Amino acid sequence: MRHAGFAFACLLTLAACDTGRGAPSWAPPGSPSFTTGYIDGCWTGWGVAGKPSFENAYYKDDSRFTSDPEYKRGWLEGQTDCYQQQMSSPQMG
């Protein structure tokens, strides 16, 4: 339960980075579907890379991943970008 509370707090923090267009400022430009996929993939990439507080993070809408090419492209790009970012420059929690 503690992890869920922390994840919610992180989500609120990320929401504060909203650019007013519905996407956080750190997400690359793209369609809403791409952006959602990118954010889901990014959180997953951080989790796989062991970023503190994201160790158990895995977000992927499997039905969208198989049916929506923009969501899939965003998820794959986000997972790769954020995994590589964490592995090259680990952020301590």
Side-chain angles (χ1 to χ4, degrees):
M1 187 68 166
R2 190 174 74 167
H3 289 287
F6 185 79
F8 182 70
C10 288
L11 181 60
L12 290 177
T13 302
L14 290 174
C17 298
D18 194 327
T19 63
R21 295 185 310 270
S25 60
W26 51 266
S31 70
S33 188
F34 171 86
T35 300
T36 299
Y38 187 91
I39 292 167
D40 288 354
C42 189
W43 282 46
T44 301
W46 284 336
V48 172
K51 182 174 182 170
S53 302
F54 287 86
E55 293 92 344
N56 296 316
Y58 185 84
Y59 300 93
K60 182 164 76 169
D61 183 331
D62 290 325
S63 64
R64 285 182 79 182
F65 190 83
T66 58
S67 67
D68 183 346
E70 281 295 293
Y71 178 88
K72 181 177 183 175
R73 185 174 70 84
W75 193 94
L76 292 170
E77 189 173 313
Q79 194 276 338
T80 300
D81 289 352
C82 293
Y83 174 84
Q84 289 177 347
Q85 171 198 44
Q86 178 61 22
M87 295 305 289
S88 67
S89 181
Q91 298 174 7
M92 305 314 253

